[in-house]
Amino acid sequence: MKVVKLRIYPTKEQEVALAKAFGCCRFVWNRCLQLTTEAYRQTGKGISGLTLKKMLPQWKRELEWLSDTYSQCLQSSVLNLSRAFVNFFEGRAQYPRFKSKHKRQSLQYPQNVKLNRDKLHLPMIGEVYCRVHRWFEGKIKTVTVSRHTDGRYHASILIDDGSEKPEPNAEGKAIGIDMGLKHFAVTSDGDKYNNPHHLKQHERNLKRKQRKLSRKQKGSNSRRKARRLVARVHSKIANSRADFLHKLSRKIVNENQVIVVENLAVKSMVKNHSLAKAISDVSWGMFSTMLKYKAKAEGKVYLEVNRFFPSTHLCSETLLPLPKMGLDVRSFKCPQCGQTHDRDLNAAINLKNEGLRILASGTGASASGGNVRPKGGRIRSMLPEAVPFETGSHSSIASR
């Protein structure tokens, strides 16, 4: 299975039809969520997805405009809500929320979608022009059509290409990656990748457009246009960040067989109001997600070391503990071996060695104590959203 995301360009009539379909799917989601929540409060039990799907014919008789939307899109909305509740009760997500018409809109086609050259045929919508940047082979399983707040439309196509994922093999070059704020990533090979500061590059433009938006009258047409301009700036920031992360993760996966990173508690770290904006901007979690799925697709090993492993406070030469250092200390002299170490490079080497030790032991236990848990909860992985500036390495950035 793999997913291909295409940019689509609906006509004005198709935009109206999609807007109606988005509204119908949003209505079904919100109504099912309301019924399920009320039932749970009154009886302590929810409503199954099958029961909710059986209510759809009755709702269509009461509300004729629901029949203007492809029936399987409405059914998929119910099934997605049921899946959201499963994820909530299994601790993988928060409680489902009501959908708003002012945010990103989406609907799902589970079948009867065809792609012919640059035309994507959607039931009850027609043929929509799309830009296919990468041709693929396989059977189309589902298609999710989305409209972003800046007015762009995309279609995410899930494809069954019939290929099997290779078995992971740890034989080959290993690398440890220490992620930070001054340098986005420092590898155990000595490569340093500067933090591009995507938000800071567009912050002045974003601030100016947000001020203009705040002066517009609520509900006016000019305010709607101003909101779209603000959304476009946010899209530029998100696209530049994703481009940087894709290219850097592809480079690392292409050059290494074993990739070791630290399991960071990003949700806890952003509670520091002095660093919250900077931490959110670098997107360590998204970067780790990209490393994981790209390594898995090529039979390579991705490994997260316990966040309580003291990678920064161990000498990579002697493996003896070091005195605690403030964040302003970027290099130090080890009192045991007498060598001067770069703080981030030392941590990356320690992560690499710890990852190799875990693979060799086969137990998955970290040297810091694999059963250690913070108070009030369990350890969660940080995995659940431009050409890198490179220092110390002359390797070219590979394509995605």
Side-chain angles (χ1 to χ4, degrees), residues 7 46 77 88 147 213 216 233 354 367:
R7 176 85 180 270
S77 184
F88 166 71
R147 179 188 183 275
L213 173 63
K216 304 299 181 182
V233 180
E354 176 66 7

Side-chain angles (χ1 to χ4, degrees), residues 15-17 35 41 50 115 120 123 183-184 209 211 246 263-264 312 317-318 329 336 340 369 373 385:
E15 287 184 3
V16 173
L35 293 175
R41 288 175 178 173
L50 181 60
L115 179 64
L120 183 66
H183 291 100
F184 173 79
K209 286 184 169 55
R211 280 181 174 177
H246 270 298
N263 178 12
L264 299 174
T312 304
E317 294 292 334
T318 63
V329 179
Q336 286 85 16
T340 300
R373 293 293 185 272
E385 98 67 193

Side-chain angles (χ1 to χ4, degrees), residues 9-22 68 109 122-129 147 153:
Y9 300 85
T11 63
K12 293 296 183 181
E13 293 77 11
Q14 291 172 339
E15 287 184 3
V16 173
L18 284 173
K20 292 180 180 179
F22 290 142
D68 296 337
Y109 291 91
L122 302 175
M124 300 188 71
I125 300 295
E127 290 188 343
V128 183
Y129 173 73
R147 179 188 183 275
Y153 290 83

Side-chain angles (χ1 to χ4, degrees), residues 7-56:
R7 176 85 180 270
I8 62 175
Y9 300 85
T11 63
K12 293 296 183 181
E13 293 77 11
Q14 291 172 339
E15 287 184 3
V16 173
L18 284 173
K20 292 180 180 179
F22 290 142
C24 292
C25 292
R26 184 176 63 248
F27 170 82
V28 170
W29 171 284
N30 290 343
R31 192 166 193 176
C32 292
L33 177 56
Q34 180 184 6
L35 293 175
T36 305
T37 303
E38 291 177 353
Y40 183 77
R41 288 175 178 173
Q42 295 175 3
T43 65
K45 296 181 180 180
I47 304 177
S48 67
L50 181 60
T51 303
L52 292 172
K53 285 177 65 176
K54 292 180 179 179
M55 297 180 183
L56 288 176

